[in-house]
Amino acid sequence: MPRYTYGGQALIEGVLMRGRDAIAVALRHPDGRIVWATERLDSGFHGSRWSRLPLLRGLVVLYETLVVGTRWLVRSAGVAASEEGVELGKGSVALMLGLTLLAGIGIFFLFPLLVASATAGNIDNGLAQHAVEGGIRVGIFLGYLVVISRLPDIRRVFQYHGAEHMTIHALEAGDPLVPDAIRKYPTAHPRCGTEFLVVVIALSIFAFALVGKQSPAVMIGSRILLIPVIAAVGYEILKLGARHRGNPVVRAIMWPGILVQKITTRQPSLDMIEVAIVSMEQALKADGEALPVGSGTLPRDVMRLPGTARVGVAAGAPEAEVAAPVSIDPPLPGA
């Protein structure tokens, strides 16, 4: 079994897997083929000494995941629409991420503060306002997930999310990467990004309560400035929780994150599991890792990307017959 802990994220009709030094993406093409591409993790932050330090490493992973994840979401949507030439430039990715982050901060951090101040701001006990603010934040988060989970396209993404987790479980257990071995595993995983968000929300309630009842400017500023701190601490808690999940106390503390994954993951179909398998296998190969015995049986094609030609790859073909991994700037790690 690889010594590095692999992670990933679901895409439109596909899965992105992140390894030690590269990511791999596999998508189900509209014509039924599984197409794949790999990308080196050379964004400028990856592999540096300070990027391995506690707290800082979480921010690096979050940054890289947001950049690469956004770019591959757009590409996967283009492949699903049979528009394989769809590509976003650096400026477009930055603009999309910027607008998304602004909307997220406004909806999940500032709006709850505004409502809590208007409804409970006159109560002498400051804890009441923080309780209202935290409750609104939790309600928005869960309500958003429940609403989008009812959309057919999002439901399919959540199925791919489940396939990603099941495949990682199989790898960590040392099983061959084949559908029959993977189908027995749960769709929830302790290192999931959903669980990270649950931890971040819980930490935000605690952190903002410590700030206390201040002037409006201080309270708004604290909600913005503490976000990277909360994210960095949340990443460390998630890693610690995943490492000690056998401890009943840790398992109980992290249980809400598993419960929320009942919304963000769904049982995948066989063809979705196959896509997740190819993504994981290509991530292992890109890192120079050996595949588990019995793996590597699924056919796949190299993905056509802007400036590249499609090259067919037969299942089990030696690496010399595979097109060189696609390196696209800026690269980044999966989740």
PDB file of all heavy atoms in Angstrom, residues 93-122:
ATOM      1  N   VAL A  93      -9.737  31.861 -14.082  1.00  0.00           N
ATOM      2  CA  VAL A  93      -9.772  31.038 -12.870  1.00  0.00           C
ATOM      3  C   VAL A  93      -9.712  31.914 -11.628  1.00  0.00           C
ATOM      4  O   VAL A  93     -10.454  31.717 -10.659  1.00  0.00           O
ATOM      5  CB  VAL A  93      -8.603  30.024 -12.872  1.00  0.00           C
ATOM      6  CG1 VAL A  93      -8.498  29.324 -11.524  1.00  0.00           C
ATOM      7  CG2 VAL A  93      -8.783  28.998 -13.980  1.00  0.00           C
ATOM      8  N   ALA A  94      -8.816  32.905 -11.648  1.00  0.00           N
ATOM      9  CA  ALA A  94      -8.674  33.799 -10.498  1.00  0.00           C
ATOM     10  C   ALA A  94      -9.964  34.579 -10.260  1.00  0.00           C
ATOM     11  O   ALA A  94     -10.406  34.739  -9.108  1.00  0.00           O
ATOM     12  CB  ALA A  94      -7.512  34.759 -10.724  1.00  0.00           C
ATOM     13  N   LEU A  95     -10.598  35.067 -11.334  1.00  0.00           N
ATOM     14  CA  LEU A  95     -11.839  35.823 -11.197  1.00  0.00           C
ATOM     15  C   LEU A  95     -12.948  34.933 -10.636  1.00  0.00           C
ATOM     16  O   LEU A  95     -13.681  35.342  -9.716  1.00  0.00           O
ATOM     17  CB  LEU A  95     -12.256  36.393 -12.557  1.00  0.00           C
ATOM     18  CG  LEU A  95     -13.574  37.168 -12.582  1.00  0.00           C
ATOM     19  CD1 LEU A  95     -13.496  38.376 -11.656  1.00  0.00           C
ATOM     20  CD2 LEU A  95     -13.911  37.606 -14.009  1.00  0.00           C
ATOM     21  N   MET A  96     -13.069  33.719 -11.164  1.00  0.00           N
ATOM     22  CA  MET A  96     -14.105  32.808 -10.695  1.00  0.00           C
ATOM     23  C   MET A  96     -13.910  32.467  -9.224  1.00  0.00           C
ATOM     24  O   MET A  96     -14.862  32.477  -8.434  1.00  0.00           O
ATOM     25  CB  MET A  96     -14.103  31.528 -11.537  1.00  0.00           C
ATOM     26  CG  MET A  96     -15.183  30.524 -11.147  1.00  0.00           C
ATOM     27  SD  MET A  96     -15.144  29.049 -12.193  1.00  0.00           S
ATOM     28  CE  MET A  96     -15.590  29.743 -13.782  1.00  0.00           C
ATOM     29  N   LEU A  97     -12.649  32.177  -8.845  1.00  0.00           N
ATOM     30  CA  LEU A  97     -12.368  31.861  -7.452  1.00  0.00           C
ATOM     31  C   LEU A  97     -12.635  33.064  -6.543  1.00  0.00           C
ATOM     32  O   LEU A  97     -13.188  32.916  -5.453  1.00  0.00           O
ATOM     33  CB  LEU A  97     -10.919  31.415  -7.297  1.00  0.00           C
ATOM     34  CG  LEU A  97     -10.616  29.956  -7.619  1.00  0.00           C
ATOM     35  CD1 LEU A  97      -9.122  29.700  -7.524  1.00  0.00           C
ATOM     36  CD2 LEU A  97     -11.368  29.029  -6.690  1.00  0.00           C
ATOM     37  N   GLY A  98     -12.230  34.239  -7.006  1.00  0.00           N
ATOM     38  CA  GLY A  98     -12.433  35.442  -6.214  1.00  0.00           C
ATOM     39  C   GLY A  98     -13.906  35.710  -5.950  1.00  0.00           C
ATOM     40  O   GLY A  98     -14.304  35.993  -4.817  1.00  0.00           O
ATOM     41  N   LEU A  99     -14.721  35.622  -6.998  1.00  0.00           N
ATOM     42  CA  LEU A  99     -16.158  35.846  -6.834  1.00  0.00           C
ATOM     43  C   LEU A  99     -16.785  34.785  -5.945  1.00  0.00           C
ATOM     44  O   LEU A  99     -17.657  35.085  -5.112  1.00  0.00           O
ATOM     45  CB  LEU A  99     -16.835  35.857  -8.207  1.00  0.00           C
ATOM     46  CG  LEU A  99     -16.471  37.027  -9.130  1.00  0.00           C
ATOM     47  CD1 LEU A  99     -17.132  36.859 -10.497  1.00  0.00           C
ATOM     48  CD2 LEU A  99     -16.884  38.356  -8.496  1.00  0.00           C
ATOM     49  N   THR A 100     -16.340  33.532  -6.102  1.00  0.00           N
ATOM     50  CA  THR A 100     -16.876  32.454  -5.278  1.00  0.00           C
ATOM     51  C   THR A 100     -16.531  32.659  -3.805  1.00  0.00           C
ATOM     52  O   THR A 100     -17.378  32.475  -2.922  1.00  0.00           O
ATOM     53  CB  THR A 100     -16.329  31.094  -5.754  1.00  0.00           C
ATOM     54  OG1 THR A 100     -16.692  30.889  -7.119  1.00  0.00           O
ATOM     55  CG2 THR A 100     -16.887  29.954  -4.911  1.00  0.00           C
ATOM     56  N   LEU A 101     -15.279  33.037  -3.538  1.00  0.00           N
ATOM     57  CA  LEU A 101     -14.868  33.258  -2.157  1.00  0.00           C
ATOM     58  C   LEU A 101     -15.593  34.448  -1.537  1.00  0.00           C
ATOM     59  O   LEU A 101     -16.007  34.393  -0.370  1.00  0.00           O
ATOM     60  CB  LEU A 101     -13.356  33.484  -2.097  1.00  0.00           C
ATOM     61  CG  LEU A 101     -12.495  32.250  -2.381  1.00  0.00           C
ATOM     62  CD1 LEU A 101     -11.017  32.634  -2.418  1.00  0.00           C
ATOM     63  CD2 LEU A 101     -12.726  31.175  -1.325  1.00  0.00           C
ATOM     64  N   LEU A 102     -15.772  35.500  -2.316  1.00  0.00           N
ATOM     65  CA  LEU A 102     -16.518  36.659  -1.804  1.00  0.00           C
ATOM     66  C   LEU A 102     -17.949  36.284  -1.460  1.00  0.00           C
ATOM     67  O   LEU A 102     -18.478  36.675  -0.409  1.00  0.00           O
ATOM     68  CB  LEU A 102     -16.497  37.790  -2.838  1.00  0.00           C
ATOM     69  CG  LEU A 102     -15.186  38.576  -2.969  1.00  0.00           C
ATOM     70  CD1 LEU A 102     -15.290  39.587  -4.109  1.00  0.00           C
ATOM     71  CD2 LEU A 102     -14.872  39.291  -1.658  1.00  0.00           C
ATOM     72  N   ALA A 103     -18.577  35.521  -2.355  1.00  0.00           N
ATOM     73  CA  ALA A 103     -19.950  35.089  -2.096  1.00  0.00           C
ATOM     74  C   ALA A 103     -20.004  34.183  -0.869  1.00  0.00           C
ATOM     75  O   ALA A 103     -20.909  34.306  -0.030  1.00  0.00           O
ATOM     76  CB  ALA A 103     -20.501  34.353  -3.320  1.00  0.00           C
ATOM     77  N   GLY A 104     -19.031  33.265  -0.750  1.00  0.00           N
ATOM     78  CA  GLY A 104     -19.008  32.368   0.399  1.00  0.00           C
ATOM     79  C   GLY A 104     -18.831  33.102   1.708  1.00  0.00           C
ATOM     80  O   GLY A 104     -19.513  32.826   2.694  1.00  0.00           O
ATOM     81  N   ILE A 105     -17.901  34.068   1.731  1.00  0.00           N
ATOM     82  CA  ILE A 105     -17.681  34.848   2.956  1.00  0.00           C
ATOM     83  C   ILE A 105     -18.932  35.651   3.308  1.00  0.00           C
ATOM     84  O   ILE A 105     -19.341  35.715   4.473  1.00  0.00           O
ATOM     85  CB  ILE A 105     -16.471  35.779   2.772  1.00  0.00           C
ATOM     86  CG1 ILE A 105     -15.183  34.955   2.677  1.00  0.00           C
ATOM     87  CG2 ILE A 105     -16.374  36.779   3.923  1.00  0.00           C
ATOM     88  CD1 ILE A 105     -13.959  35.767   2.301  1.00  0.00           C
ATOM     89  N   GLY A 106     -19.537  36.242   2.290  1.00  0.00           N
ATOM     90  CA  GLY A 106     -20.729  37.041   2.540  1.00  0.00           C
ATOM     91  C   GLY A 106     -21.896  36.210   3.059  1.00  0.00           C
ATOM     92  O   GLY A 106     -22.562  36.588   4.034  1.00  0.00           O
ATOM     93  N   ILE A 107     -22.142  35.056   2.441  1.00  0.00           N
ATOM     94  CA  ILE A 107     -23.306  34.238   2.796  1.00  0.00           C
ATOM     95  C   ILE A 107     -23.098  33.466   4.089  1.00  0.00           C
ATOM     96  O   ILE A 107     -23.980  33.424   4.960  1.00  0.00           O
ATOM     97  CB  ILE A 107     -23.645  33.267   1.643  1.00  0.00           C
ATOM     98  CG1 ILE A 107     -24.094  34.067   0.409  1.00  0.00           C
ATOM     99  CG2 ILE A 107     -24.726  32.278   2.062  1.00  0.00           C
ATOM    100  CD1 ILE A 107     -24.263  33.219  -0.837  1.00  0.00           C
ATOM    101  N   PHE A 108     -21.921  32.855   4.252  1.00  0.00           N
ATOM    102  CA  PHE A 108     -21.715  31.949   5.379  1.00  0.00           C
ATOM    103  C   PHE A 108     -21.100  32.626   6.611  1.00  0.00           C
ATOM    104  O   PHE A 108     -21.151  32.053   7.699  1.00  0.00           O
ATOM    105  CB  PHE A 108     -20.830  30.777   4.955  1.00  0.00           C
ATOM    106  CG  PHE A 108     -21.525  29.813   4.034  1.00  0.00           C
ATOM    107  CD1 PHE A 108     -21.279  29.838   2.676  1.00  0.00           C
ATOM    108  CD2 PHE A 108     -22.446  28.899   4.515  1.00  0.00           C
ATOM    109  CE1 PHE A 108     -21.925  28.972   1.811  1.00  0.00           C
ATOM    110  CE2 PHE A 108     -23.101  28.024   3.671  1.00  0.00           C
ATOM    111  CZ  PHE A 108     -22.847  28.046   2.319  1.00  0.00           C
ATOM    112  N   PHE A 109     -20.511  33.807   6.455  1.00  0.00           N
ATOM    113  CA  PHE A 109     -19.872  34.440   7.601  1.00  0.00           C
ATOM    114  C   PHE A 109     -20.482  35.802   7.958  1.00  0.00           C
ATOM    115  O   PHE A 109     -20.758  36.060   9.125  1.00  0.00           O
ATOM    116  CB  PHE A 109     -18.366  34.596   7.341  1.00  0.00           C
ATOM    117  CG  PHE A 109     -17.630  33.282   7.367  1.00  0.00           C
ATOM    118  CD1 PHE A 109     -17.409  32.576   6.200  1.00  0.00           C
ATOM    119  CD2 PHE A 109     -17.173  32.752   8.559  1.00  0.00           C
ATOM    120  CE1 PHE A 109     -16.748  31.364   6.215  1.00  0.00           C
ATOM    121  CE2 PHE A 109     -16.505  31.533   8.587  1.00  0.00           C
ATOM    122  CZ  PHE A 109     -16.302  30.826   7.411  1.00  0.00           C
ATOM    123  N   LEU A 110     -20.703  36.669   6.972  1.00  0.00           N
ATOM    124  CA  LEU A 110     -21.191  38.009   7.284  1.00  0.00           C
ATOM    125  C   LEU A 110     -22.708  38.065   7.417  1.00  0.00           C
ATOM    126  O   LEU A 110     -23.228  38.767   8.297  1.00  0.00           O
ATOM    127  CB  LEU A 110     -20.719  38.995   6.203  1.00  0.00           C
ATOM    128  CG  LEU A 110     -19.195  39.121   6.055  1.00  0.00           C
ATOM    129  CD1 LEU A 110     -18.853  40.215   5.055  1.00  0.00           C
ATOM    130  CD2 LEU A 110     -18.538  39.396   7.399  1.00  0.00           C
ATOM    131  N   PHE A 111     -23.438  37.345   6.567  1.00  0.00           N
ATOM    132  CA  PHE A 111     -24.907  37.358   6.665  1.00  0.00           C
ATOM    133  C   PHE A 111     -25.390  36.841   8.023  1.00  0.00           C
ATOM    134  O   PHE A 111     -26.272  37.465   8.641  1.00  0.00           O
ATOM    135  CB  PHE A 111     -25.509  36.548   5.519  1.00  0.00           C
ATOM    136  CG  PHE A 111     -27.004  36.460   5.570  1.00  0.00           C
ATOM    137  CD1 PHE A 111     -27.794  37.564   5.265  1.00  0.00           C
ATOM    138  CD2 PHE A 111     -27.644  35.280   5.938  1.00  0.00           C
ATOM    139  CE1 PHE A 111     -29.182  37.494   5.313  1.00  0.00           C
ATOM    140  CE2 PHE A 111     -29.024  35.195   5.991  1.00  0.00           C
ATOM    141  CZ  PHE A 111     -29.794  36.310   5.683  1.00  0.00           C
ATOM    142  N   PRO A 112     -24.878  35.717   8.536  1.00  0.00           N
ATOM    143  CA  PRO A 112     -25.304  35.277   9.876  1.00  0.00           C
ATOM    144  C   PRO A 112     -25.012  36.318  10.956  1.00  0.00           C
ATOM    145  O   PRO A 112     -25.803  36.488  11.894  1.00  0.00           O
ATOM    146  CB  PRO A 112     -24.493  33.998  10.105  1.00  0.00           C
ATOM    147  CG  PRO A 112     -24.227  33.479   8.738  1.00  0.00           C
ATOM    148  CD  PRO A 112     -23.999  34.707   7.899  1.00  0.00           C
ATOM    149  N   LEU A 113     -23.868  37.009  10.840  1.00  0.00           N
ATOM    150  CA  LEU A 113     -23.543  38.061  11.801  1.00  0.00           C
ATOM    151  C   LEU A 113     -24.564  39.184  11.732  1.00  0.00           C
ATOM    152  O   LEU A 113     -25.034  39.682  12.770  1.00  0.00           O
ATOM    153  CB  LEU A 113     -22.139  38.600  11.525  1.00  0.00           C
ATOM    154  CG  LEU A 113     -21.724  39.836  12.334  1.00  0.00           C
ATOM    155  CD1 LEU A 113     -21.694  39.519  13.821  1.00  0.00           C
ATOM    156  CD2 LEU A 113     -20.366  40.359  11.867  1.00  0.00           C
ATOM    157  N   LEU A 114     -24.942  39.596  10.514  1.00  0.00           N
ATOM    158  CA  LEU A 114     -25.908  40.664  10.331  1.00  0.00           C
ATOM    159  C   LEU A 114     -27.260  40.305  10.942  1.00  0.00           C
ATOM    160  O   LEU A 114     -27.861  41.093  11.682  1.00  0.00           O
ATOM    161  CB  LEU A 114     -26.071  40.963   8.837  1.00  0.00           C
ATOM    162  CG  LEU A 114     -27.122  42.018   8.453  1.00  0.00           C
ATOM    163  CD1 LEU A 114     -26.740  43.373   9.034  1.00  0.00           C
ATOM    164  CD2 LEU A 114     -27.263  42.103   6.935  1.00  0.00           C
ATOM    165  N   VAL A 115     -27.723  39.088  10.658  1.00  0.00           N
ATOM    166  CA  VAL A 115     -29.028  38.650  11.177  1.00  0.00           C
ATOM    167  C   VAL A 115     -28.983  38.524  12.697  1.00  0.00           C
ATOM    168  O   VAL A 115     -29.909  38.953  13.401  1.00  0.00           O
ATOM    169  CB  VAL A 115     -29.444  37.313  10.536  1.00  0.00           C
ATOM    170  CG1 VAL A 115     -30.725  36.791  11.174  1.00  0.00           C
ATOM    171  CG2 VAL A 115     -29.631  37.485   9.033  1.00  0.00           C
ATOM    172  N   ALA A 116     -27.906  37.945  13.222  1.00  0.00           N
ATOM    173  CA  ALA A 116     -27.794  37.776  14.676  1.00  0.00           C
ATOM    174  C   ALA A 116     -27.725  39.125  15.382  1.00  0.00           C
ATOM    175  O   ALA A 116     -28.308  39.304  16.456  1.00  0.00           O
ATOM    176  CB  ALA A 116     -26.558  36.945  15.003  1.00  0.00           C
ATOM    177  N   SER A 117     -27.034  40.086  14.789  1.00  0.00           N
ATOM    178  CA  SER A 117     -26.937  41.419  15.391  1.00  0.00           C
ATOM    179  C   SER A 117     -28.294  42.105  15.413  1.00  0.00           C
ATOM    180  O   SER A 117     -28.633  42.802  16.376  1.00  0.00           O
ATOM    181  CB  SER A 117     -25.927  42.270  14.617  1.00  0.00           C
ATOM    182  OG  SER A 117     -24.635  41.693  14.670  1.00  0.00           O
ATOM    183  N   ALA A 118     -29.067  41.880  14.354  1.00  0.00           N
ATOM    184  CA  ALA A 118     -30.379  42.527  14.268  1.00  0.00           C
ATOM    185  C   ALA A 118     -31.402  41.885  15.198  1.00  0.00           C
ATOM    186  O   ALA A 118     -32.308  42.561  15.701  1.00  0.00           O
ATOM    187  CB  ALA A 118     -30.893  42.470  12.829  1.00  0.00           C
ATOM    188  N   THR A 119     -31.263  40.587  15.440  1.00  0.00           N
ATOM    189  CA  THR A 119     -32.273  39.873  16.235  1.00  0.00           C
ATOM    190  C   THR A 119     -31.887  39.677  17.695  1.00  0.00           C
ATOM    191  O   THR A 119     -32.754  39.633  18.569  1.00  0.00           O
ATOM    192  CB  THR A 119     -32.557  38.491  15.624  1.00  0.00           C
ATOM    193  OG1 THR A 119     -31.331  37.743  15.555  1.00  0.00           O
ATOM    194  CG2 THR A 119     -33.144  38.628  14.227  1.00  0.00           C
ATOM    195  N   ALA A 120     -30.582  39.537  17.973  1.00  0.00           N
ATOM    196  CA  ALA A 120     -30.146  39.269  19.345  1.00  0.00           C
ATOM    197  C   ALA A 120     -29.096  40.255  19.827  1.00  0.00           C
ATOM    198  O   ALA A 120     -28.512  40.063  20.894  1.00  0.00           O
ATOM    199  CB  ALA A 120     -29.597  37.842  19.441  1.00  0.00           C
ATOM    200  N   GLY A 121     -28.857  41.304  19.065  1.00  0.00           N
ATOM    201  CA  GLY A 121     -27.799  42.247  19.420  1.00  0.00           C
ATOM    202  C   GLY A 121     -28.091  43.048  20.663  1.00  0.00           C
ATOM    203  O   GLY A 121     -27.169  43.550  21.303  1.00  0.00           O
ATOM    204  N   ASN A 122     -29.373  43.201  21.021  1.00  0.00           N
ATOM    205  CA  ASN A 122     -29.730  43.997  22.199  1.00  0.00           C
ATOM    206  C   ASN A 122     -29.731  43.183  23.486  1.00  0.00           C
ATOM    207  O   ASN A 122     -29.954  43.743  24.566  1.00  0.00           O
ATOM    208  CB  ASN A 122     -31.115  44.627  21.995  1.00  0.00           C
ATOM    209  CG  ASN A 122     -31.114  45.645  20.857  1.00  0.00           C
ATOM    210  OD1 ASN A 122     -30.103  46.330  20.649  1.00  0.00           O
ATOM    211  ND2 ASN A 122     -32.218  45.746  20.137  1.00  0.00           N
TER     212      ASN A 122
END
